Amino acid sequence: QVQLAESGGGLVQAGGSLRLSCAASGRIFSGYVMGWFRQVPGLEREFVASIAWTTGRTSYADSMKGRFTISKENAKKTVYLQMNSLKSEDTAVYYCASRSPGAAEYVYWGQGTQVTVSS
């Protein structure tokens, strides 16, 4: 069982930056993939970025490349999402999630953290 807890959301002006954190507890096995997603009410959840726990290999949604950076700190079992040059359309609830290697679906989810970008 893995528990995930996001933090770092808030209100920021357009062009500003925020860093989200996702603290994991429980057993994180080798090969697990950690991901960030976001969701606007009424719309489908959207993939933002992911990072492999062991190798550090990253993947990004095309619209996030160059502005968002995912990273991890193994000793703290924490994954970060650095968001720069924020736009009003980045306003959403951001979720951290985890899946086992080879799995198609993310199984473990955090409760989400609200990011609001004012224009």
Side-chain angles (χ1 to χ4, degrees), residues 23-71:
S25 59
R27 300 195 65 178
I28 303 292
F29 294 99
S30 174
Y32 265 55
V33 177
M34 306 295 293
W36 284 99
F37 292 77
R38 68 185 187 184
Q39 189 168 24
V40 175
L43 299 180
E44 290 190 359
R45 190 160 50 201
E46 177 183 24
F47 170 77
V48 175
S50 66
I51 187 166
W53 198 257
T54 303
T55 66
R57 180 178 179 179
T58 60
S59 178
Y60 294 90
D62 287 342
S63 60
M64 320 298 173
K65 289 180 181 177
R67 296 194 301 125
F68 291 8
T69 303
I70 189 171
S71 62

Side-chain angles (χ1 to χ4, degrees), residues 19 51 53 71-80:
R19 189 178 79 158
I51 187 166
W53 198 257
S71 62
K72 61 183 178 69
E73 193 170 355
N74 287 35
K76 293 186 176 181
K77 288 188 178 179
T78 300
V79 176
Y80 304 99

